Amino acid sequence: RVNYSYNDRYLLTLTGRYDGSSVLAEGNKWAFFPSVALAWRAGEEDFIKNMNLFSDLKLRVSYGEVGNDVVPPYSTQAFLSQTAYDFDGNAAYGYAPNNIGNADLRWENSAEINIGLDLGFIKNRIMASIEYYDKTTNDLIQNVAIPASLGFSSVTANVGKIMNRGLEVSLNTVNIQKTNFKWTTNLNFSTNHNEILELYGGAVTQDIANSLFVGE
């Protein structure tokens, strides 16, 4: 991680993560996740101070990627389980496949753009924050149902791409502040739009068994 500040007004943070996970498939265990964040403390600029309007004003922009590997250990491998059967009229034991492994299971990757604005008024007795985010998740990991005719009911796989986009607004006010009494108000508003953008590399537009539909 690298942090840089110029004149306490212009802020930069660079981060790089190289993560490995033993639960993912061979050849897909490692991935790099970068991020960058910029901030401008506009309230420290003379032309903003001269307005005598804001006690705090800050603009933030960031982009970052993060990985998810939350799957049961050994999800990539197929197991055998002991089973009893009839061998010429005698009880015998053998081994049969217990599950379907996934030798291609890889990191779920989420990339997000975030734009934020912080405002303060009347010596920060009124503070507001406006946040817009747009996140796209690739190679979404899910335990998905498969046709029973294959001999198994489910498999852990990377199933597609989804989008989350929304707006968050918060308003915090100090209405009364006395020695023995203080009254504050906190208001929040948020919206979120979630949509499936792609399934199985674009091979299909719907997976009815798992209630997954592109555009929904």
Side-chain angles (χ1 to χ4, degrees):
R1 174 178 295 174
V2 175
N3 292 307
Y4 177 75
S5 173
Y6 177 75
N7 205 23
D8 204 28
R9 298 180 186 179
Y10 312 100
L11 311 174
L12 169 68
T13 300
L14 297 173
T15 305
R17 294 177 58 95
Y18 192 57
D19 292 345
S21 174
S22 61
V23 300
L24 301 176
E26 198 67 38
N28 295 324
K29 297 182 182 296
W30 292 89
F32 179 71
F33 303 105
S35 71
V36 57
L38 298 168
W40 175 35
R41 299 184 64 186
E44 298 299 316
E45 302 287 355
D46 290 337
F47 70 93
I48 297 293
K49 291 180 178 179
N50 293 337
M51 296 172 64
N52 293 320
L53 177 62
F54 302 100
S55 53
D56 186 30
L57 182 62
K58 184 178 181 181
L59 177 65
R60 299 174 280 107
V61 179
S62 66
Y63 170 84
E65 298 182 17
V66 66
N68 175 30
D69 66 334
V70 184
V71 295
Y74 310 109
S75 295
T76 61
Q77 302 183 21
F79 292 95
L80 297 177
S81 60
Q82 193 177 60
T83 181
Y85 67 101
D86 180 271
F87 185 75
D88 195 22
N90 298 310
Y93 291 93
Y95 290 89
N98 186 63
N99 68 299
I100 293 181
N102 185 351
D104 295 320
L105 191 65
R106 55 193 176 276
W107 281 94
E108 176 183 300
N109 178 291
S110 294
E112 181 173 351
I113 296 174
N114 187 286
I115 301 173
L117 180 64
D118 301 323
L119 306 103
F121 305 92
I122 315 175
K123 297 182 179 180
N124 288 342
R125 293 191 62 167
I126 300 176
M127 297 193 68
S129 177
I130 304 171
E131 204 98 23
Y132 171 80
Y133 61 91
D134 189 337
K135 181 170 74 172
T136 300
T137 300
N138 294 282
D139 296 324
L140 177 69
I141 295 177
Q142 276 198 329
N143 191 40
V144 294
I146 57 177
S149 58
L150 296 175
F152 304 94
S153 60
S154 65
V155 63
T156 303
N158 301 96
V159 301
K161 179 189 296 186
I162 63 172
M163 175 264 288
N164 275 283
R165 179 183 298 154
L167 181 71
E168 297 179 348
V169 180
S170 65
L171 177 65
N172 304 316
T173 63
V174 180
N175 306 312
I176 299 176
Q177 187 167 13
K178 301 292 185 180
T179 304
N180 299 317
F181 180 76
K182 184 177 182 180
W183 172 28
T184 63
T185 304
N186 302 305
L187 301 175
N188 295 281
F189 169 80
S190 65
T191 66
N192 177 261
H193 176 71
N194 173 255
E195 182 180 329
I196 297 176
L197 302 178
E198 183 181 279
L199 287 173
Y200 307 108
V204 299
T205 59
Q206 59 181 4
D207 181 355
I208 298 175
N210 295 285
S211 300
L212 300 173
F213 305 92
V214 173
E216 301 294 334

